Amino acid sequence: MIAIQQNILTIGMALFIGNGLLMIHPANATGIHTSDAVCPIDEADTVKLYFEVSSNEYGGFDSDGATYSSGTQFREHAISTCSKTLFSAYTEDMQKKISPSDSAEIKKWLTPLAQQYTNPTVWERYELAVSFYRWQGKDPIYLAQVYMEAAWTARDKAVGIHPDLKGPVVADQILEQGKKELKKELTNEERKMVTYNLARVAHRNARFTERQHYITQFLNDPTLETYERDTAQEFIQLTTEVEPRLLKLALAEYLIHLQKVPQDGHTQYIVADIFRRLGEYTQARTYFEKANLSAYLHPEQRMIVAHLLETMPSTP
């Protein structure tokens, strides 16, 4: 666990530099190798493949299983997308041969779908990949995980990296320390830095009251540069619209899976945390309590459940 007593300005805080928010990253960030290939459903199309050659978890983890490298998250590149057809899949699947008949069938449903996207975002490429995997007949639990990774890419863009933010207990400690930090005499730039980053930490742990408080406080600063205000507005869109939409898609697939395997404690835990991240605390509590009865729940997850049951709002 990180030393919470440190000045919060040193805990992976953002630097307002140039025309964007840059993060401080430790060394040994994610290593990625790229390669160009022919799109498997169209020989006239090309695709860039990404391969992870190194990574770390210095950026900590979230309660729903999202882990963070100290630099680029490989999930940003895990889905490869053909440049013309927008056929999308994980790199290992993009390297597999697809028969001419299957290619023709895929193009029939993919072409009108692809027309909805001029330049798909990372999470939209995941959604395109889900269409392929659903066509393949993948189980709901598989589709749910693809949607979860899509949601995490939206979260990545919103929150950036906070080294060693290892789960909800640490996040809550940072938020508590942040309150004390803001009572100190800070420069305006320091106050902006702390306030914005507390909004991001709050979102990592789905503390929505705190997130709204800090992002509103940040936006109320009359000295904000245009790029800072734009970044904050994008943060709001990603955290209140994009990520929740993707979490709902994942939740639907997880619930289908639980109809078939009702005693799956790990999935019950993930479902509980999704409900929590959607602000549906009664449902979250129900599923956390179910998950806690499972003999297969990881001890660390069990500790997280205890913390969240104690600190989660009681309604709705």
Side-chain angles (χ1 to χ4, degrees), residues 11-309:
I11 308 177
M13 294 291 109
L15 297 176
F16 293 92
I17 299 178
N19 61 355
L21 292 166
L22 304 183
M23 298 304 300
I24 302 173
H25 303 307
N28 303 317
T30 303
I32 298 173
H33 170 71
T34 64
S35 176
D36 293 325
V38 174
C39 181
I41 69 166
D42 191 334
E43 293 183 353
D45 198 0
T46 59
V47 62
K48 184 177 288 294
L49 305 178
Y50 293 83
F51 303 88
E52 185 178 37
V53 295
S54 65
S55 65
N56 61 66
E57 294 185 3
Y58 293 156
F61 63 89
D62 290 341
S63 53
D64 60 358
T67 59
Y68 295 81
S69 175
S70 60
T72 299
Q73 308 312 311
F74 182 70
R75 56 181 167 261
E76 180 180 344
H77 305 287
I79 295 292
S80 295
T81 299
C82 296
S83 59
K84 296 178 182 177
T85 61
L86 298 189
F87 175 70
S88 300
Y90 288 112
T91 296
E92 58 267 29
D93 296 319
M94 194 65 77
Q95 295 176 288
K96 296 176 181 177
K97 290 185 177 181
I98 298 178
S99 70
S101 59
D102 282 347
S103 295
E105 187 175 340
I106 290 170
K107 286 181 180 180
K108 283 183 180 180
W109 57 257
L110 177 60
T111 300
L113 180 62
Q115 289 175 349
Q116 300 175 28
Y117 305 95
T118 53
N119 185 26
T121 61
V122 176
W123 47 89
E124 287 171 342
R125 292 194 284 109
Y126 272 89
E127 291 184 88
L128 286 165
V130 168
S131 299
F132 169 59
Y133 291 124
R134 195 182 299 279
W135 173 81
Q136 276 194 323
K138 294 288 189 182
D139 291 336
I141 192 71
Y142 186 93
L143 302 180
Q145 185 58 35
V146 180
Y147 277 131
M148 280 299 287
E149 291 178 13
W152 294 342
T153 65
R155 191 183 307 168
D156 293 342
K157 189 168 179 59
V159 304
I161 308 300
H162 295 268
D164 285 329
L165 203 168
K166 296 181 178 179
V169 175
V170 174
D172 283 344
Q173 290 174 325
I174 292 175
L175 290 173
E176 188 61 32
Q177 179 65 17
K179 294 179 184 177
K180 299 176 183 177
E181 196 68 30
L182 288 172
K183 292 179 181 179
K184 297 179 180 179
E185 290 188 11
L186 303 175
T187 67
N188 188 58
E189 288 302 306
E190 289 172 339
R191 188 166 296 278
K192 285 195 299 185
M193 188 187 302
V194 174
T195 301
Y196 187 77
N197 281 280
L198 286 173
R200 296 200 289 183
V201 172
H203 182 69
R204 281 274 299 264
N205 197 26
R207 300 302 190 192
F208 301 136
T209 299
E210 290 88 342
R211 181 190 69 192
Q212 182 62 34
H213 169 74
Y214 288 122
I215 201 65
T216 299
Q217 190 175 13
F218 180 80
L219 284 168
N220 285 340
D221 187 336
T223 69
L224 287 183
E225 299 286 348
T226 299
Y227 76 86
E228 293 172 330
R229 193 171 299 279
D230 290 345
T231 299
Q233 293 293 353
E234 182 184 43
F235 172 88
I236 292 172
Q237 181 187 25
L238 290 169
T239 58
T240 64
E241 297 177 21
V242 178
E243 184 185 335
R245 179 180 65 81
L246 295 164
L247 288 176
K248 288 176 183 177
L249 291 171
L251 177 62
E253 301 295 339
Y254 279 128
L255 290 175
I256 293 172
H257 170 75
L258 284 178
Q259 290 176 0
K260 301 176 181 178
V261 192
Q263 302 306 315
D264 183 345
H266 175 71
T267 298
Q268 289 172 334
Y269 168 87
I270 296 299
V271 163
D273 204 59
I274 293 176
F275 274 125
R276 183 178 75 93
R277 291 178 181 276
L278 294 175
E280 299 183 33
Y281 301 117
T282 300
Q283 288 277 51
R285 192 173 298 276
T286 297
Y287 277 93
F288 274 136
E289 290 171 348
K290 288 181 179 180
N292 220 15
L293 297 176
S294 172
Y296 302 102
L297 199 65
H298 191 279
E300 190 166 39
Q301 290 176 319
R302 209 174 292 282
M303 289 188 291
I304 289 173
V305 168
H307 176 75
L308 294 178
L309 286 174

